[in-house]
């Protein structure tokens, strides 16, 4: 019987084996640590290229310190990431835009500060920022864009209007947003579908198909003219207001409420025919530019004759209408903003909360709309 020889490694062979075993164990430990670290960054919200760049640019300490940072996560995941801008990225507020990282880089290259870049990106769409970048460098852009209601698309108009009118920064932004730097009726936005708190003026036109929802008939006993209609919620609030006024011995009637595009067109053409365009424009809105088409407006009166401003009802309306969600739409002294003559009888329903805020802030609806409602 032949005995099998045991395989014995030489001293050098044993050494090599231990070396390979050590390398294997080290790689396993490194791989495990790498996987654990990757999981850590994924849990923080960093993925793919972002994690690759964390290692590539040795940003582990920075990322661990910042934790989940949407801007950092986005720029690190972008092919446009530039390590030279790493600290500046952290001062930029995130906004979901297709070219977010590239835009930051290019704005920094143009000399804009991080605070200015925040205002530029916040106030513009991706396309608007792209267009702005092609613009020559503008000094002190945050003087205008720093206001929460500023629009990047209006930036050139802000500069031009202030240079011409010598208005302060806030006033400039508000007036330009209203459209007061443009010719009346020029390039008006056309609104075709009913929406809440709609603005109708000489820069925002209601299309000929615009019909408010929930128009309801008004009982003729509340009106000086028959066949009046109003949006339901506005009528409910008006009747509540009327009831309060009646309890104080006052008398109010609706002279005019909802008017369709066609009705406004007929009315305007009547004035044009009898008084000419200039006079017609001073006393009547062109079709589509009348608030009456919103179904949220009442022209009030005490009787078919008489001057409303000389009545107790007028004083009461000025002091109380806002409590029921109505505002004096074209106040005295604000003609340059509303572009309409003072109309003591014209009240617009905006809801109680907004009406109270408008009265508190002493604003017209045009100003309030561009500052707080235009999103």
């Amino acid at each position: 019987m032949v005995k099998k020889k045991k395989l014995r490694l030489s001293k050098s062979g044993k050494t090599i084996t231990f070396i390979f075993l050590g390398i294997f164990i080290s790689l396993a430990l490194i791989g495990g640590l790498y996987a654990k670290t990757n999981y850590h960054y994924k849990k923080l919200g960093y993925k793919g290229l972002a994690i690759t760049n964390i290692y590539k640019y040795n940003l582990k300490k920075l990322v661990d310190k910042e934790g989940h940072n949407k801007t950092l996560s986005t720029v690190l995941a972008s092919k446009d990431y530039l390590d030279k801008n790493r600290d500046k990225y952290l001062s930029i507020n995130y906004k979901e835009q297709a070219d977010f990282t590239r835009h930051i880089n290019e704005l920094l290259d143009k000399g804009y500060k991080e605070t200015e870049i925040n205002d530029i990106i916040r106030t513009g769409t991706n396309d608007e920022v792209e267009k702005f970048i092609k613009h020559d460098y503008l000094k002190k852009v945050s003087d205008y864009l720093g206001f929460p209601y500023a629009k990047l698309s209006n930036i050139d108009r802000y500069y031009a209007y202030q240079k011409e009118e010598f208005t302060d920064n806030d006033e400039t932004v508000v007036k330009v947003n209203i459209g007061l730097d443009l010719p009346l009726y020029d390039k008006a936005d056309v609104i075709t579908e009913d929406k809440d708190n709609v603005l109708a003026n000489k820069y925002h036109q209601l299309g000929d198909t615009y019909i408010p929802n929930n128009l309801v008939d008004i009982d003729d006993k509340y009106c000086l003219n028959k066949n009046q209609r109003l949006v339901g919620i506005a009528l409910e609030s008006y009747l509540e207001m009327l009831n309060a006024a009646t309890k104080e011995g006052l008398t109010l009637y609706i002279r005019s409420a909802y008017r369709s595009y066609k009705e406004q067109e007929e009315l305007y053409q009547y004035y044009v025919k009898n008084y000419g365009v200039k006079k017609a424009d001073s006393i009547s809105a062109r079709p589509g530019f009348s608030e009456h088409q919103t179904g949220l407006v009442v022209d009030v009166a005490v009787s078919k004759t008489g001057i409303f401003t000389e009545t107790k009802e007028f004083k009461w309306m000025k002091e109380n209408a806002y409590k029921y969600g109505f505002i004096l739409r074209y106040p005295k002294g604000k003609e340059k903003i509303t572009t309409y003559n003072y109309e003591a009888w014209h009240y617009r329903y905006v809801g109680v909360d907004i009406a109270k805020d408008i009265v508190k802030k002493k604003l017209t609806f045009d100003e309030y709309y561009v500052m707080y409602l235009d999103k």
Side-chain angles (χ1 to χ4, degrees), residues 37 82 101 136 171 275 278 282 318 361 369:
T37 307
L82 295 177
T101 306
D136 291 338
E171 185 182 2
Y275 305 107
K278 186 176 181 179
S282 71
K318 280 183 64 177
K361 291 181 168 68
Y369 179 86

Side-chain angles (χ1 to χ4, degrees), residues 9 13-30:
L9 294 175
K14 288 181 179 179
T15 301
I16 293 171
T17 300
F18 281 121
I19 290 173
F20 275 111
L21 183 61
I23 292 173
F24 176 79
I25 293 172
S26 297
L27 289 174
L29 289 172
I30 292 171

Side-chain angles (χ1 to χ4, degrees), residues 325-341:
F326 287 88
I327 58 167
L328 180 61
R329 182 62 180 89
Y330 306 123
K332 195 171 186 177
K334 294 283 190 175
E335 291 86 352
K336 289 184 178 180
I337 293 175
T338 65
T339 70
Y340 283 98
N341 291 333

Side-chain angles (χ1 to χ4, degrees), residues 116-356:
E116 293 175 319
I117 294 172
N118 276 329
D119 289 332
I120 292 166
I121 291 176
R122 175 183 55 81
T123 57
T125 64
N126 190 78
D127 289 344
E128 287 168 349
V129 175
E130 183 76 20
K131 182 179 178 181
F132 178 85
I133 289 172
K134 297 174 183 177
H135 202 296
D136 291 338
Y137 174 80
L138 293 174
K139 293 181 180 180
K140 300 181 179 180
V141 292
S142 287
D143 283 359
Y144 305 109
L145 300 182
F147 295 102
Y149 36 84
K151 294 183 177 182
L152 184 62
S153 58
N154 288 344
I155 188 65
D156 289 327
R157 291 167 58 193
Y158 296 150
Y159 279 93
Y161 188 81
Q162 189 172 58
K163 184 178 180 181
E164 184 72 23
E165 300 294 333
F166 303 103
T167 46
D168 62 31
N169 298 334
D170 191 4
E171 185 182 2
T172 296
V173 172
V174 171
K175 287 187 173 181
V176 168
N177 284 2
I178 291 173
L180 299 178
D181 60 320
L182 302 173
L184 299 179
Y185 308 110
D186 184 51
K187 299 178 181 178
D189 296 328
V190 179
I191 305 160
T192 58
E193 295 183 0
D194 179 52
K195 66 176 185 177
D196 294 337
N197 297 314
V198 63
L199 174 65
N201 60 15
K202 295 177 183 178
Y203 306 100
H204 293 80
Q205 181 181 12
L206 304 178
D208 57 4
T209 60
Y210 184 96
I211 300 174
N213 294 320
N214 194 29
L215 277 173
V216 295
D217 294 330
I218 306 173
D219 193 317
D220 286 344
K221 69 181 181 181
Y222 300 123
C223 307
L224 292 177
N225 298 301
K226 293 183 178 181
N227 302 319
Q228 299 296 319
R229 289 185 292 167
L230 205 59
V231 168
I233 189 171
L235 179 57
E236 289 176 13
S237 297
Y238 175 80
L239 293 178
E240 184 181 352
M241 179 172 64
L242 176 64
N243 184 53
T246 301
K247 286 181 179 179
E248 295 190 30
L250 303 175
T251 302
L252 283 173
Y253 291 101
I254 294 175
R255 183 186 296 276
S256 179
Y258 170 72
R259 289 201 291 265
S260 68
Y261 184 97
K262 184 178 179 181
E263 288 171 323
Q264 188 65 32
E265 187 173 38
E266 292 172 351
L267 180 63
Y268 178 75
Q269 289 304 324
Y270 167 82
Y271 285 121
V272 169
K273 182 179 179 181
N274 288 277
Y275 305 107
V277 173
K278 186 176 181 179
K279 180 65 175 178
D281 281 338
S282 71
I283 58 178
S284 176
R286 294 185 182 184
F289 296 92
S290 170
E291 272 210 326
H292 283 277
Q293 194 179 338
T294 67
L296 298 168
V297 169
V298 287
D299 285 347
V300 295
V302 174
S303 63
K304 287 192 175 183
T305 60
I307 301 173
F308 186 62
T309 54
E310 296 178 353
T311 65
K312 293 182 293 183
E313 284 78 2
F314 165 66
K315 184 176 184 296
W316 188 91
M317 286 290 289
K318 280 183 64 177
E319 295 174 352
N320 295 280
Y322 74 93
K323 300 174 185 176
Y324 304 91
F326 287 88
I327 58 167
L328 180 61
R329 182 62 180 89
Y330 306 123
K332 195 171 186 177
K334 294 283 190 175
E335 291 86 352
K336 289 184 178 180
I337 293 175
T338 65
T339 70
Y340 283 98
N341 291 333
Y342 170 48
E343 293 188 359
W345 55 87
H346 184 111
Y347 285 83
R348 160 72 188 265
Y349 179 79
V350 294
V352 174
D353 290 340
I354 292 177
K356 286 182 177 180

Side-chain angles (χ1 to χ4, degrees), residues 55-106:
Y55 289 104
K56 181 179 178 179
Y57 297 105
N58 193 26
L59 300 176
K60 288 179 284 190
K61 287 184 179 179
L62 175 65
V63 174
D64 286 340
K65 177 184 176 183
E66 293 296 325
H68 180 261
N69 182 299
K70 189 65 176 176
T71 296
L72 188 59
S73 175
T74 300
V75 298
L76 283 173
S78 170
K79 60 181 177 56
D80 297 310
Y81 173 79
L82 295 177
D83 198 48
K84 69 175 183 177
N85 291 335
R86 70 160 78 170
D87 294 331
K88 294 178 179 178
Y89 289 141
L90 296 174
S91 299
I92 305 299
N93 299 323
Y94 174 75
K95 184 177 179 181
E96 187 174 353
Q97 291 183 346
D99 301 296
F100 181 66
T101 306
R102 178 172 62 81
H103 285 165
I104 295 173
N105 294 336
E106 294 183 5

